Amino acid sequence: MRPRLPALNNLKAFEAAARHESFTRAAEELCVTQGAVSQQVKALEEGLGIKLFNRERQRLIITEAGRDYLMVVRDALDRIAIGTERLLQRQNAGVLTVSTSPDFAAKWLVHRLGHFAEAHSGIDLRVSATLHHVDFAREEVDLAVRHGEGSWPGLDAVQLSAEQLFAVCSPKLLTGRQRLSKPADILKFPLIHLDSRADWTRWLRAADVDDAGAAHGTVLNRASMVIDAAINGQGVALARTTLAAWDLINGRLVRPFLDSLPLSKTYWIICPKATSNVPKIVTFRSWLLAEATEDARRLKLALRP
């Protein structure tokens, strides 16, 4: 069994009194009364069964046993102070491990990491791009960006941004003899599909276009591949707001039409509720939200009616 330890406040009172050779000055440092310091030192002496100070003519003189014990107490308090400071520094800085999907990492996050590193050099960011949902209880991950409807029991979830599904293409498809001028013109070009052809069927119907031609075009299984194919001029794709934002803002993609479909599933910033207020997690979450807000502002400027 662990030996019984003296009360920390009693040890702090003893150390301060020994350093100042005065209960009064120790009390001023500790923001308590002189009587409280005296009682704490007395309780420590009684608990140890050892006299730590001699009180002589309003002077406080430490005993030989007190001097020996003072070295132990000071070393212990210094270790606690150093350990506490290191712990707080790790909360504000140090390694921050983030889990996200390969699509989000490739199309949204990677382009911006340099900006984060410049602004927060004390945080050593580690990004793990994976398709599986992280288990915070078993994996050394601080925060994740997850796609869904925002309901994960036991986790703190903050929506990154609202999302829509809309048509995107290379700017060169808006010029030349065969170009996109109305939604029905989309069917003149190859359609790029994600997983199935269902999304294009829905979008064409919402745009009042006969969806009979939606069956043509390549089917890819990653959203990032779909977007890259569109950038390459291989056809017209449907993209979610978040994943297309960087390329729209930087002119590699355009939205030929404003027609869009709302999406219930969006990207969320998640972490355990118990760690949601850890400073480095707060810092990274705030940065993600600020980037998403700036995206929304710049996307309005990039819209092409």
Side-chain angles (χ1 to χ4, degrees):
M1 293 180 61
R2 182 185 297 275
R4 184 172 62 87
L5 297 175
L8 180 59
N9 282 342
N10 294 350
L11 295 174
K12 289 169 61 180
F14 164 63
E15 191 279 332
R19 184 160 26 87
H20 290 291
E21 297 183 338
S22 166
F23 286 152
T24 300
R25 288 196 293 273
E28 292 172 354
E29 176 185 314
L30 299 174
C31 298
V32 296
T33 65
Q34 186 269 353
V37 172
S38 179
Q39 288 299 315
Q40 287 166 342
V41 172
K42 182 178 179 181
L44 180 61
E45 289 178 320
E46 291 176 350
L48 297 172
I50 297 172
K51 194 170 187 179
L52 300 173
F53 292 106
N54 289 317
R55 288 82 166 167
E56 297 180 2
R57 298 180 181 178
Q58 298 185 342
R59 289 185 60 203
L60 197 61
I61 300 175
I62 193 168
T63 65
E64 183 176 350
R67 280 194 297 272
D68 291 341
Y69 192 49
L70 178 61
M71 294 176 62
V72 175
V73 171
R74 278 183 175 167
D75 181 67
L77 292 177
D78 286 345
R79 286 174 180 269
I80 292 171
I82 292 170
T84 301
E85 182 62 26
R86 286 176 178 170
L87 176 63
L88 293 175
Q89 287 178 355
R90 284 199 299 271
Q91 298 296 298
N92 287 282
V95 175
L96 179 70
T97 302
V98 177
S99 173
T100 185
S101 70
D103 285 334
F104 184 84
K107 300 309 299 180
W108 196 93
L109 186 58
V110 167
H111 306 293
R112 310 161 193 262
L113 291 182
H115 299 156
F116 180 82
E118 289 175 6
H120 305 285
S121 58
I123 297 178
D124 182 10
L125 193 63
R126 310 285 175 87
V127 177
S128 173
T130 177
L131 292 176
H132 87 276
H133 281 186
V134 63
D135 183 345
F136 287 100
R138 297 184 179 183
E139 300 177 57
E140 293 184 0
V141 172
D142 299 296
L143 177 145
V145 178
R146 184 177 292 179
H147 194 254
E149 295 181 345
S151 179
W152 293 285
L155 297 178
D156 180 82
V158 178
Q159 188 180 47
L160 182 66
S161 62
E163 289 211 286
Q164 296 176 322
L165 190 72
F166 44 77
V168 294
C169 65
S170 167
K172 63 186 179 183
L173 297 191
L174 300 181
T175 60
R177 295 180 60 184
Q178 185 177 345
R179 62 179 183 271
L180 290 165
S181 57
K182 59 183 182 298
D185 292 338
I186 282 177
L187 298 177
K188 298 176 184 177
F189 296 89
L191 300 184
I192 306 168
H193 303 267
L194 175 63
D195 292 331
S196 73
R197 306 184 192 278
D199 285 342
W200 264 119
T201 297
R202 290 171 52 226
W203 188 91
L204 290 167
R205 288 176 180 174
D208 293 324
V209 177
D210 185 353
D211 64 322
H216 73 288
T218 304
V219 179
L220 303 173
N221 74 335
R222 302 279 355 133
S224 55
M225 293 165 59
V226 169
I227 292 173
D228 287 342
I231 292 171
N232 221 20
Q234 296 177 25
V236 187
L238 289 175
R240 297 195 298 266
T241 308
T242 302
L243 297 186
W246 184 264
D247 294 307
L248 286 168
I249 289 168
N250 289 281
R252 288 183 288 273
L253 284 177
V254 292
R255 282 184 64 176
F257 311 109
L258 296 180
D259 304 80
S260 63
L261 298 173
L263 295 174
S264 59
K265 292 185 177 181
T266 62
Y267 284 100
W268 296 76
I269 308 164
I270 63 170
C271 67
K273 290 182 178 180
T275 60
S276 62
N277 290 321
V278 169
K280 62 184 177 182
I281 291 178
V282 171
T283 296
F284 190 68
R285 181 171 56 230
S286 298
W287 175 79
L288 289 173
L289 293 171
E291 287 287 315
T293 299
E294 178 64 9
D295 278 1
R297 184 189 71 81
R298 295 177 70 183
L299 282 173
K300 289 181 179 179
L301 303 177
L303 284 178
R304 184 185 180 96

